[in-house]
């Protein structure tokens, strides 16, 4: 008796599929580097150009020292997140609280639940990062959401308050400070200008604050 295996269809931009079907097809395409399911619709990334790769690298370079200095906080790069039955994004970067946070790591190695912080690199304000994805992150309780709009040279950092995203504003020194991750400070103009030395200098100022030290103690007490 001959058994015929059902062919697994490839993912295509605009496909409307369930999360289970999305994962099945994605797993069958090992050459594919990025695909996301947002509100039940498949979005597939184009080849990554310098205009995306350089800001992405800068964001990871900003977040990495914070993660190193803050035991109990996890930094992940381009990792699939199971948010709900219709949404499985692959954020450019995320921070999550490892113990007692909103998300967990599944047995098969995915993030399940909403990370506390997500950062995305978008071409412009017309990107789905500021439309469908923003609404998805808000509904799933992602506490802070940063979007770097490359063409417009703009960074928006949203904080979830009472079910709505409110933009965090820079202080008189041009620094935005996380409300969820104490000590995570960003010199916005310096990052946009590629002045990574200043970005790191401002971050180190945040890491030296009493609020950051208290946060570390809080995380230690959760273990």
């Amino acid at each position: 008796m001959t058994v015929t295996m059902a062919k697994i269809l490839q993912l295509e931009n605009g496909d409307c599929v369930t999360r289970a079907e999305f994962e099945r097809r994605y797993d069958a395409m090992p050459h594919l580097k990025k695909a996301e399911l947002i509100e039940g619709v498949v979005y597939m990334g184009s080849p990554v150009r310098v205009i995306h790769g350089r800001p992405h690298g800068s964001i990871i370079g900003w977040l990495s020292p914070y993660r190193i200095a803050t035991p109990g906080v996890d930094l992940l790069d381009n990792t699939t997140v199971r948010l709900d039955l219709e949404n499985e994004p692959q954020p450019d970067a995320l921070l999550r609280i490892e113990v007692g946070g909103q998300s967990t790591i599944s047995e098969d190695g995915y993030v399940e639940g909403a990370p506390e912080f997500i950062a995305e690199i978008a071409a412009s304000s017309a990107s789905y990062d500021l439309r469908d994805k923003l609404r998805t992150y808000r509904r799933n309780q992602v506490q802070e959401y940063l979007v770097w709009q490359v063409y417009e040279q703009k960074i928006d950092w949203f904080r979830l308050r009472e079910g709505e995203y409110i933009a965090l504003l820079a202080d008189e020194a041009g620094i935005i400070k996380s409300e969820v991750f104490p000590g995570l400070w960003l010199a916005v103009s310096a990052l946009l200008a590629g002045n990574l030395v200043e970005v790191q200098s401002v971050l180190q100022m945040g890491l030296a604050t009493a609020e950051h030290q208290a946060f570390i103690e809080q995380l230690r007490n959760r273990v």
Side-chain angles (χ1 to χ4, degrees):
M1 178 179 177
T2 302
V3 178
T4 303
M5 301 296 291
K7 181 181 178 180
I8 299 177
L9 297 176
Q10 290 199 337
L11 286 174
E12 301 287 349
N13 262 320
D15 282 348
C16 295
V17 297
T18 64
R19 196 180 77 182
E21 179 66 10
F22 171 76
E23 288 187 6
R24 191 171 75 95
R25 295 194 196 179
Y26 200 172
D27 287 343
M29 301 172 69
H31 61 284
L32 183 61
K33 300 302 181 184
K34 184 164 186 172
E36 302 182 290
L37 185 68
I38 306 297
E39 303 292 57
V41 178
V42 174
Y43 291 85
M44 295 171 61
S46 304
V48 178
R49 294 177 172 84
V50 170
I51 196 168
H52 183 282
R54 183 174 291 129
H56 186 169
S58 296
I59 287 289
I60 295 298
W62 166 58
L63 293 173
S64 292
Y66 186 83
R67 187 257 182 182
I68 292 169
T70 318
V73 168
D74 194 13
L75 167 63
L76 297 172
D77 175 1
N78 252 317
T79 302
T80 296
V81 179
R82 290 170 173 159
L83 284 178
D84 58 37
L85 292 178
E86 292 187 321
N87 290 283
E88 195 163 307
Q90 192 173 330
D92 289 315
L94 66 86
L95 290 176
R96 53 180 296 273
I97 295 173
E98 294 181 302
V99 177
Q102 297 187 151
S103 63
T104 58
I105 304 299
S106 67
E107 291 185 0
D108 54 349
Y110 290 97
V111 176
E112 294 190 337
E116 283 74 21
F117 173 93
I118 283 178
E120 298 277 17
I121 311 301
S124 72
S125 60
S127 167
Y128 75 120
D129 292 297
L130 280 163
R131 293 183 288 105
D132 295 342
K133 197 180 282 187
L134 182 146
R135 290 191 292 269
T136 296
Y137 289 164
R138 181 180 60 202
R139 187 175 68 247
N140 282 278
Q141 305 287 301
V142 174
Q143 295 299 305
E144 291 188 343
Y145 178 35
L146 183 150
V147 186
W148 184 340
Q149 299 156 58
V150 179
Y151 290 129
E152 295 165 9
Q153 280 291 281
K154 181 183 179 184
I155 291 175
D156 285 317
W157 190 337
F158 300 102
R159 171 72 165 109
L160 188 67
R161 293 182 186 156
E162 298 181 354
E164 296 295 334
Y165 272 145
I166 306 299
L168 292 177
L169 301 179
D171 63 14
E172 62 278 3
I175 300 169
I176 299 180
K177 301 173 182 179
S178 172
E179 295 183 356
V180 176
F181 291 94
L184 184 61
W185 292 11
L186 177 62
V188 178
S189 296
L191 184 62
L192 291 173
N195 185 350
L196 303 185
V197 172
E198 183 177 349
V199 170
Q200 291 300 322
S201 177
V202 168
L203 176 61
Q204 291 303 316
M205 292 168 54
L207 295 177
T209 60
E211 290 80 10
H212 180 250
Q213 297 307 309
F215 184 51
I216 292 175
E217 288 303 315
Q218 177 188 337
L219 293 173
R220 284 174 178 160
N221 291 334
R222 295 185 182 189
V223 177

